[in-house]
Amino acid sequence: MTELQQALSNVFNAEIESYINGQKSLDDWGSLVETLKGQGTERLEELFNTAYQRALQ
């Protein structure tokens, strides 16, 4: 989980500044979202939700 989270953070951090400083248009935001999904955001969400459910029990 930690490795997956770090990999996603690396991709996000490498790209987010381009959106903040205007080098990339918000019209391209969907592309970043798809890239992050391809890198495993949905798997990370699943892991967090499973851990959360275990904590509730």
Side-chain angles (χ1 to χ4, degrees):
M1 187 165 139
T2 302
E3 290 176 16
L4 180 55
Q5 189 173 13
Q6 185 61 52
L8 289 166
S9 290
N10 289 342
V11 171
F12 181 80
N13 292 336
E15 295 290 325
I16 193 64
E17 189 174 322
S18 297
Y19 290 94
I20 292 171
N21 66 25
Q23 288 177 326
K24 288 191 177 181
S25 169
L26 287 178
D27 293 337
D28 298 330
W29 184 257
S31 175
L32 175 59
V33 171
E34 290 304 314
T35 297
L36 291 169
K37 282 182 179 181
Q39 296 290 321
T41 54
E42 292 171 337
R43 176 66 179 138
L44 185 61
E45 178 185 18
E46 180 183 315
L47 292 169
F48 272 111
N49 286 335
T50 299
Y52 178 69
Q53 290 302 317
R54 283 188 199 143
L56 293 177
Q57 295 177 354

